[in-house]
Amino acid sequence: MAKKKKLKIAIQGIATSFHEVAALTYFNEPIETVECLSFHQLCESLKNGASDYAVMAIENSIAGSILPNYFLLQDYHFNIIGELYLPIHMNLLVLPGTKITDIKTIESHPMAIRQCSEFLHSLNGVEIRESDDTALSAKRVKELKLKNTAAIANEFAAKKYGLTILEKRIETHKKNFTRFLVLAKRSNGKIESNKASLCFEVANEVGSLADALMTFKTNSINLTKIQSIPIIGRPSEYSIHIDVEWKRRKNYDTAMQEIIRQVKNLNVLGEYKKAKIEYR
């Protein structure tokens, strides 16, 4: 019997990064991760066929939305086929034997740094340095033997690179999670959906956005997120990104028939199944 080919999943970062944990959790089967050090590289990997799917972080409960990724969703026209809420626990990793008083520099991904701002503000005389990835920061500490540098990353990175967890769970709020989107080049019509991500534009007139959003309310559609993105080259004009949920598909279909007459450039980024938020 032929061996089943592993799915190739593009992730931002390297092995043991939160993106890899998210990918392994979502697909729940042996996969091959395609490491990308930027979200642009991640999108290019999916576009060029180097990966079958991509897992992209879109927001964090402490640090907020990752705005550049909304522009990427618009530019690449990928289809959102799923989502995942991953609990995020940040740890301060160092070479064995390093003490807190030895640390001169702490480095990690910008979003990780923002999630740990309260802890980092409590330190004096420590330089905070941004990097491409949490796991990559841990790898640098190990390979370069950086005795005065700490990395902010997860426990899997600590184990892989033989680092000591000097401080556990340094995230500002303990109920911390990141929402990841699962992207494909085309829609999978087999997915049973109860959530959708949309984007559109409205006229720059009083009440135009309110009227559009009211359409969802009157059709019993729950609006779970709204994010405005500037339209490049058109000052004071925005693309509106929303996430909506429904209990009856018919309500969603009716709302979409109405909304298409109220807005401009309506784009359905994906219809998929709502994920659960489970704190650990």
Side-chain angles (χ1 to χ4, degrees):
M1 183 180 293
K3 191 174 183 180
K4 183 180 178 181
K5 187 178 180 181
K6 291 183 180 179
L7 291 174
K8 293 184 178 181
I9 314 299
I11 60 170
Q12 193 275 314
I14 64 173
T16 73
S17 67
F18 288 106
H19 271 79
E20 184 184 60
V21 176
L24 291 168
T25 303
Y26 180 85
F27 288 96
N28 195 29
E29 64 179 85
I31 60 174
E32 179 183 341
T33 53
V34 180
E35 300 175 350
C36 307
L37 290 186
S38 71
F39 288 112
H40 182 266
Q41 290 179 14
L42 176 147
C43 290
E44 284 293 306
S45 172
L46 182 56
K47 175 185 175 182
N48 297 329
S51 55
D52 300 305
Y53 300 96
V55 172
M56 171 193 280
I58 196 67
E59 63 179 308
N60 174 263
S61 57
I62 296 175
S65 297
I66 307 177
L67 295 181
N69 287 357
Y70 282 92
F71 288 100
L72 291 173
L73 289 175
Q74 291 182 164
D75 291 343
Y76 281 89
H77 305 290
F78 295 142
N79 198 270
I80 302 170
I81 63 165
E83 67 174 0
L84 172 75
Y85 291 91
L86 183 72
I88 302 294
H89 304 316
M90 298 293 185
N91 303 285
L92 194 67
L93 312 185
V94 296
L95 289 173
T98 300
K99 301 176 182 178
I100 192 74
T101 52
D102 298 328
I103 298 173
K104 304 299 180 186
T105 303
I106 296 176
E107 74 166 55
S108 195
H109 189 276
M111 287 295 286
I113 290 171
R114 287 170 61 184
Q115 292 168 51
C116 303
S117 59
E118 191 173 290
F119 172 82
L120 296 175
H121 287 157
S122 70
L123 303 177
N124 295 317
V126 177
E127 177 189 359
I128 308 301
R129 185 181 300 161
E130 296 183 353
S131 71
D132 291 324
D133 179 45
T134 55
L136 184 61
S137 293
K139 183 179 181 181
R140 287 187 70 254
V141 170
K142 173 65 174 181
E143 292 186 346
L144 300 180
K145 297 181 173 58
L146 302 178
K147 296 180 180 179
N148 302 119
T149 298
I152 298 174
N154 60 34
E155 60 188 82
F156 304 106
K159 185 175 182 180
K160 180 177 178 67
Y161 298 111
L163 299 177
T164 297
I165 299 178
L166 193 61
E167 295 283 347
K168 291 185 177 181
R169 301 196 64 171
I170 61 173
E171 62 271 15
T172 298
H173 195 284
K174 302 313 172 189
K175 288 185 177 180
N176 182 32
F177 64 84
T178 293
R179 179 185 174 215
F180 293 85
L181 301 178
V182 183
L183 308 176
K185 290 180 72 173
R186 56 189 62 86
S187 172
N188 184 347
K190 299 178 182 179
I191 294 176
E192 182 181 344
S193 58
N194 58 2
K195 186 172 182 178
S197 294
L198 319 170
C199 68
F200 54 83
E201 301 168 27
V202 294
N204 190 12
E205 300 172 357
V206 174
S208 58
L209 177 57
D211 289 343
L213 298 182
M214 186 60 68
T215 297
F216 292 106
K217 178 183 178 181
T218 57
N219 285 283
S220 301
I221 303 298
N222 187 29
L223 178 68
T224 61
K225 183 177 177 67
I226 181 169
Q227 181 74 58
S228 61
I229 304 296
I231 299 176
I232 297 174
R234 290 158 57 184
S236 301
E237 294 189 39
Y238 298 86
S239 176
I240 309 300
H241 286 248
I242 65 171
D243 292 335
V244 296
E245 300 173 0
W246 61 87
K247 293 182 178 179
R248 296 177 67 238
R249 175 76 193 204
K250 184 178 179 181
N251 290 357
Y252 169 71
D253 291 337
T254 300
M256 293 299 290
Q257 290 171 8
E258 295 176 16
I259 201 75
I260 198 170
R261 297 192 294 269
Q262 296 175 296
V263 303
K264 300 181 294 183
N265 298 326
L266 176 64
N267 184 13
V268 179
L269 300 173
E271 298 173 356
Y272 48 95
K273 191 171 183 179
K274 174 186 175 182
K276 294 181 180 179
I277 302 177
E278 298 178 336
Y279 296 112
R280 296 197 294 270

